[in-house]
Amino acid sequence: MSFWHRLPRLRRSLLALALSGAALAAAVGVVWAHEGREVHGFTFDVGFLVEPAYEGQPNGVYLSVTRASGGELSQASEGGHEHGGTVETSDMSVEVTAEVDPIDGINVHIIPTGFEFAPERVNQADVDGEGHAHIYVDGEKVGRAYGEWFHLKGVAPGDREIRVTLQANGHSEYAVGGQTVQAATTLSVPAMPPAPEEVGQVEAPAGMSVAISLEPDPVGGANLMVMPQGFRLAPERINAPNVAGDGHPHVYVNGVRLGRVYSPYLHLGKLAPGMNEVRVTLNTNMHQEYARDGETIEAVATIHIPDPDTSVAMQVGEAGQERIGVTGLANSLVVEVTHLAGDMSASGVARQMALSPLPGEDGGYVAPFIPTVPGPYRFRFVGTIDGLPIDETFTSGPGTFDDVRSATEAQFPRPVPSAREIAGVASAAQQQARDATDDAAAALRVAVIGLAVGGLGLMTGVGLALYAFRRRGAG
């Protein structure tokens, strides 16, 4: 199959439009240049949606995120319906509130009635009235909650719906009268920079320590249990003034800060196959690390995640390797686009853009825009994938993806000035006109001053002559 027919339909249409509208095929060689990178076991493929990219032509940021066929089960394998549908119960309900955290992410508070969280029995036989919760953002499942409080990271800016369902131990959804036990709330999520690293330490009270245990989850990832001593989990006091011994843990996976722990149990999502190191620190309400004699109060453990079976839908890459497109990232990733100056410094022109799924391409996303200035561009992706923090920067140039080219490169036989060039000429002409006006005004001022000085000199000369004449007459 040709490269053209392997392109998704939308990209073929846009590319055909660019080729026919700008006569690119006749003027230059068409080369698709993208940059690939491994991030937390996922493969990023980044570039312009239509390449070569020309100024003034419709284009966009292109992102493809895939994982190896043995990497993870699909997100749907963890939802309630695929584990036996619903479980009918009675006298059960739930409420949910969500608030934007001033430091990072969203704090979710789940308030159930007739239900008890039982994370220690997840994946075991159902017991009526106990289980855990599933959390959704705009209909996409983003994780499990093992307690009333949950810290949600990487939600894209905009108006978002946070929905919570109550699940049995085996992940089936609880229902009352055939209706899923659930609650939803909406909030406006602002654009926020990546969470800052912890700053400073606080001396730990005597007797404070922490231990952790890790167990592989048969559905995916691992279940973490945090066992502190001399420490009280206080998610309701997050960001409030410090109280000695109160706070919340922070968790790191392979050296990368994953987020906060608001209950003794946390589902670590779908860790990459292979050996993973998990580190947990105890932190104050204001996020400083508890320490003793400068040594952080922490616990470290490792877990090996085996390759799961590959009985899920797959796609075949160009090299024949089976890959799975990662879906649902439009709600957990954003891209910041920056135009760079010739010395590769930021020109000060940057914009944060939302990503949308690319029709016909699982794991493909696009942020449409029209590049109006040629040169290098930088794409920075920020958010989370399967709960893992993402902050990756891709810059156009040799060995990565193409810079934006001047439209005149593809024009024949006579280049047509671009709107940018016309605006530049117009601006220069206006400046020259202003300069000419300024010069004329300056010349006029000089002439007036000259006339004034000349007139003063003439009057002075006449006065002196009259004075001399009178002196002679008197003599």
Side-chain angles (χ1 to χ4, degrees):
M1 182 179 292
S2 68
F3 176 80
W4 176 266
H5 290 289
R6 287 204 306 270
L7 284 172
R9 183 178 302 172
L10 175 61
R11 298 192 73 197
R12 291 204 307 265
S13 300
L14 287 173
L15 184 58
L17 176 63
L19 289 173
S20 60
L24 302 182
V28 296
V30 179
V31 179
W32 281 264
H34 282 183
E35 180 179 357
R37 183 182 304 173
E38 292 295 320
V39 182
H40 295 319
F42 301 95
T43 298
F44 277 46
D45 182 38
V46 173
F48 279 101
L49 181 67
V50 178
E51 294 181 345
Y54 288 86
E55 63 171 323
Q57 297 296 320
N59 214 311
V61 179
Y62 169 77
L63 168 68
S64 171
V65 181
T66 61
R67 57 176 175 260
S69 59
E72 296 180 10
L73 293 174
S74 66
Q75 189 180 58
S77 68
E78 216 187 57
H81 295 289
E82 42 296 61
H83 290 274
T86 59
V87 172
E88 190 69 22
T89 188
S90 61
D91 299 325
M92 182 182 292
S93 62
V94 65
E95 297 179 6
V96 62
T97 63
E99 293 183 353
V100 174
D101 189 285
I103 303 298
D104 173 39
I106 297 172
N107 295 317
V108 180
H109 189 195
I110 304 166
I111 310 165
T113 300
F115 174 88
E116 181 180 353
F117 284 98
E120 69 279 5
R121 286 189 288 277
V122 69
N123 301 309
Q124 297 181 18
D126 291 343
V127 176
D128 187 34
E130 70 176 35
H132 57 278
H134 285 180
I135 297 181
Y136 299 79
V137 175
D138 290 344
E140 294 285 346
K141 183 173 176 292
V142 295
R144 302 179 197 167
Y146 284 159
E148 291 190 3
W149 291 88
F150 187 83
H151 187 233
L152 186 59
K153 287 174 58 68
V155 178
D159 294 334
R160 302 296 173 200
E161 180 194 69
I162 310 297
R163 182 169 62 92
V164 171
T165 61
L166 297 184
Q167 318 290 134
N169 294 333
H171 305 281
S172 298
E173 290 182 348
Y174 277 112
V176 175
Q179 300 297 314
T180 299
V181 180
Q182 61 183 340
T185 185
T186 59
L187 75 166
S188 181
V189 180
M192 293 190 296
E197 294 296 325
E198 292 79 14
V199 179
Q201 295 179 331
V202 169
E203 188 67 17
M208 181 179 288
S209 64
V210 64
I212 61 175
S213 68
L214 286 166
E215 294 291 339
D217 189 290
V219 174
N223 292 309
L224 168 68
M225 182 180 181
V226 181
M227 298 166 286
Q229 295 289 330
F231 175 87
R232 188 181 78 89
L233 281 165
E236 71 281 1
R237 293 183 53 81
I238 196 75
N239 301 312
N242 290 338
V243 175
D246 279 9
H248 58 279
H250 285 190
V251 60
Y252 298 77
V253 175
N254 298 324
V256 178
R257 192 167 76 89
L258 181 65
R260 308 173 191 168
V261 183
Y262 284 170
S263 69
Y265 288 84
L266 179 71
H267 184 237
L268 291 179
K270 308 181 183 81
L271 300 177
M275 191 63 69
N276 291 265
E277 180 190 79
V278 177
R279 180 169 68 96
V280 171
T281 63
L282 298 184
N283 296 71
T284 69
N285 295 334
M286 294 296 291
H287 311 286
Q288 296 101 335
E289 292 180 346
Y290 280 110
R292 183 171 296 111
D293 298 327
E295 295 294 327
T296 300
I297 305 297
E298 63 178 22
V300 179
T302 58
I303 185 170
H304 183 269
I305 302 298
D307 288 348
D309 60 66
T310 58
S311 57
V312 291
M314 303 172 185
Q315 65 185 50
V316 179
E318 292 184 15
Q321 182 186 20
E322 292 178 332
R323 308 286 304 173
I324 304 172
V326 180
T327 60
L329 301 186
N331 294 326
S332 67
L333 284 181
V334 295
V335 60
E336 181 184 72
V337 179
T338 303
H339 174 257
L340 302 176
D343 60 358
M344 301 305 288
S345 63
S347 66
V349 181
R351 177 182 295 177
Q352 191 175 86
M353 302 179 184
L355 291 163
S356 300
L358 189 60
E361 183 175 342
D362 286 344
Y365 301 88
V366 62
F369 76 101
I370 299 175
T372 57
V373 178
Y377 281 71
R378 182 172 64 209
F379 301 157
R380 179 188 178 198
F381 299 91
V382 180
T384 63
I385 299 179
D386 282 345
L388 296 171
I390 301 296
D391 189 348
E392 297 292 325
T393 298
F394 297 78
T395 303
S396 66
T400 59
F401 57 96
D402 288 344
D403 297 340
V404 172
R405 305 183 187 183
S406 171
T408 58
E409 293 186 25
Q411 294 173 354
F412 177 83
R414 181 177 299 168
V416 177
S418 66
R420 171 184 54 84
E421 293 168 329
I422 293 172
V425 171
S427 177
Q430 290 174 349
Q431 185 60 48
Q432 288 177 353
R434 285 193 294 268
D435 292 343
T437 301
D438 292 343
D439 291 344
L444 180 59
R445 286 194 295 271
V446 171
V448 170
I449 293 172
L451 288 173
V453 172
L456 181 61
L458 178 61
M459 292 174 64
T460 301
V462 170
L464 289 174
L466 290 173
Y467 176 75
F469 177 76
R470 290 191 186 125
R471 291 273 307 216
R472 277 198 207 98

